[in-house]
Amino acid sequence: MGFELTVVLRVVSTTLAQATVFDAPLAAELFLIGRVLFGSVLAFNGLNHFLDVEGMTEYADSKGVPKPRGAVVTTGGMLVVGGLGTALGLVPTFSTGAVATFLLVVTPIMHDFWAIPAAQRDQEVIHFTKNATMFGAALVLLALSATAWPYAL
């Protein structure tokens, strides 16, 4: 009896280990659409860092960012690489890690709504909460990054 139970438990645990969150109907397709939308928007925002280096450098400087031009270029690169990698499913741990790191570091520095005059606060609250939401999504994707992503390149 003990041997049979051990065999059954091994079969069940092996089957469960092979099952993924993407086995549900349309889960793989929805995951693909979600990550393409998420990653594409991030990559587009990163591209804007390069298209408006001067304006973004001035804004970063106004927030007290040291070496603001270098920070704009670096964070633009993080967003382009992380966003495209997420959308395409390329090196997902690195890609989603770059996005999560960007959002974790940049959000409280650039959108410090608690430290600005009330007249400007509403826009910063919107940007802060938007980034916090994207940070949450990046963490979910990072948690799934060790799993094979469907439709990944």
Side-chain angles (χ1 to χ4, degrees), residues 8-124:
V8 168
L9 289 176
R10 278 196 187 150
V11 169
V12 168
S13 68
T14 301
T15 303
L16 290 175
Q18 292 172 349
T20 70
V21 69
F22 305 115
D23 289 339
L26 295 177
E29 292 76 14
L30 293 172
F31 185 75
L32 172 64
I33 293 167
R35 76 169 207 252
V36 166
L37 289 171
F38 182 70
S40 297
V41 168
L42 291 166
F44 178 75
N45 285 335
L47 181 61
N48 283 334
H49 280 64
F50 297 106
L51 295 175
D52 187 21
V53 172
E54 295 307 319
M56 294 195 120
T57 298
E58 287 177 21
Y59 185 62
D61 190 43
S62 76
K63 293 290 188 167
V65 174
K67 300 186 181 177
R69 184 178 188 87
V72 167
V73 171
T74 300
T75 56
M78 291 175 76
L79 286 172
V80 169
V81 170
L84 288 177
T86 299
L88 299 172
L90 294 171
V91 198
T93 302
F94 177 81
S95 300
T96 57
V99 169
T101 300
F102 165 84
L103 291 165
L104 177 66
V105 173
V106 169
T107 300
I109 294 170
M110 299 305 291
H111 304 299
D112 57 344
F113 63 89
W114 54 89
I116 60 173
Q120 301 165 358
R121 192 167 296 149
D122 288 348
Q123 283 299 313
E124 292 300 340

